[in-house]
Every structure is written in C-alpha cells, then in structure tokens.
Amino acid sequence: MTIEIVKAAGAQAAEAAAYVPDLVLATGPLSYDYIFGGRRLYDPFIAAAWAAPGNFFSHEQSVLAYEDGVFCGVLISHDGADHYRLKDAVWPVAVGLIGQHGVTEADIAALAGRAEIASFMNPHVPEDCSYIIVVSVPEAARGRGAGRKLIEHEIARARERGFSRLHLDVMSDNPAVGLYRAMGFEAMAETVTPIPCREHGLAMELRMMLRL
C-alpha cells in the first residue's frame, strides 16, 4: 500500500470534484446543514467554490491523497494571513448561484445570516500560523493512514513557510479528534454558541493547535 499526496490541479482536481461535497460535509454535517439549510444550496455552492480560484474551499488551497492510484482523501488549508480574505471570497461564489439550481436572493440572504451566527464558533485565526479547514477521507478508505499522511504533508508545508503553529477547528463529536490528539494537537478553546448548539443540536467546537 502506497499513499501519495499531490497538489489538486488539472484532471485530478476535476476527478476529486465529485467527492468533495460529501467529504467536506462529513467533517461537520449538522454544522453545514444549519448554515446551508440542506443540500439544495450546499452542493452547488461547494462545487462552485472548489472550481473557483482564491476562496476557502478552492482546489487551489488543496492537496489530494491517492492510495495505489485511487483517490482517498482531501486536505484544504491556507496561511493564517490569508484566512479572512479567502473567507470573504466565498460570497461572490454564493451570489453567483442566484438563478441557478433554484437558488434565490432570499436563499443567499438567509445563508449569510446563518453563517454570521455560526462564525461565533470559531476563534480568531492569527496571521503567523497555518490553518486547516478540511481534512476528510472517504469512509471506505478510513483506517489506512490517508488522514495522517495528509496532515503530515500540511505540517511539512507549514514548517517550510516558517510557521511554528498549525491550527484547525473541529466539531467535538468528530471521530477525527482522536487522530488530531494522537498527532500532538491540543484543544486551545471549546466554543458553544446558543443558537447553533442549543437550538439546533450542534456539538461544541474545538480550536486545536499543534506546536511545530
């Protein structure tokens, strides 16, 4: 068994596009369901964001894992200094969906309102760190080391960029928390927000950090 990590580009990025919506959703299904109000808006948004340049969910910020040539995972990350610029860049993608897939201006306005509320779950991202937004492996490929290989690749990238810390946010009920702890990540903040957590059943969110 050989796991290879490659930059998401060209034909490989196009191949991964079919998997990315489900893989991103798997990192926090209740969270994304709350923000997007279901998959009618979520699926076309993630697909468009993956294809577009320079935003939170773009293939440009991503690497892919292959096990003996078969796709088996994705990691999306960026430098902390780019965090809020990339976050803001998702909104032109969302607005561009109006008139497609039954998406209306009211849908995007509601999305913006829920996203603002959900944003209180995430502490500030400092400029002098690397930040992982997504690490996800298809269920059939789990337990064979792809997630660890993806994170190890990001650790190497962060060190090459001169960072001494790697940050990520993860729902506390995500089984990946165990892997993160085993790799040395520590929970630095535990966040509960009244509307998403108490009214909609979302778990507490953890900000985890690895000192490099």
Side-chain angles (χ1 to χ4, degrees):
M1 179 189 73
T2 302
I3 296 175
E4 180 185 14
I5 308 299
V6 301
K7 184 71 177 170
Q12 289 171 316
E15 176 196 15
Y19 302 97
V20 165
D22 285 341
L23 289 174
V24 173
L25 185 69
T27 65
L30 288 179
S31 177
Y32 285 110
D33 187 64
Y34 167 71
I35 294 169
F36 286 90
R39 297 200 68 160
R40 181 180 66 86
L41 181 55
Y42 169 84
D43 281 345
F45 169 80
I46 293 294
W50 175 259
N55 71 82
F56 242 27
F57 299 101
S58 175
H59 67 280
E60 288 186 342
Q61 277 78 242
S62 307
V63 293
L64 309 173
Y66 285 84
E67 182 183 345
D68 297 331
V70 178
F71 173 78
C72 65
V74 62
L75 181 145
I76 307 176
S77 69
H78 52 255
D79 295 351
D82 295 327
H83 184 82
Y84 295 99
R85 175 182 62 81
L86 294 171
K87 183 176 181 179
D88 289 345
V90 302
W91 292 109
V93 174
V95 170
L97 295 175
I98 295 173
Q100 305 178 48
H101 312 284
V103 176
T104 66
E105 290 185 17
D107 289 329
I108 300 304
L111 169 64
R114 292 189 299 268
E116 181 181 21
I117 292 169
S119 71
F120 285 92
M121 298 183 74
N122 303 128
H124 176 74
V125 174
E127 293 191 358
D128 59 343
C129 76
S130 184
Y131 180 83
I132 297 174
I133 184 169
V134 170
V135 185
S136 192
V137 172
E139 188 171 357
R142 291 174 190 165
R144 300 205 293 271
R148 179 178 288 272
K149 284 284 189 182
L150 285 162
I151 296 168
E152 288 173 349
H153 184 277
E154 178 60 19
I155 290 170
R157 188 196 80 88
R159 285 177 171 150
E160 288 174 3
R161 298 283 290 163
F163 297 125
S164 61
R165 294 171 293 165
L166 178 57
H167 285 227
L168 59 83
D169 291 307
V170 60
M171 307 307 293
S172 58
D173 60 353
N174 187 327
V177 170
L179 172 62
Y180 301 148
R181 292 190 189 280
M183 295 188 72
F185 284 84
E186 299 176 273
M188 309 305 292
E190 300 175 337
T191 308
V192 173
T193 47
I195 295 174
C197 297
R198 296 185 182 136
E199 296 183 18
H200 293 270
L202 272 66
M204 173 176 65
E205 187 147 29
L206 305 178
R207 167 61 59 84
M208 302 192 77
M209 184 179 78
L210 177 67
R211 301 179 193 277
L212 304 177

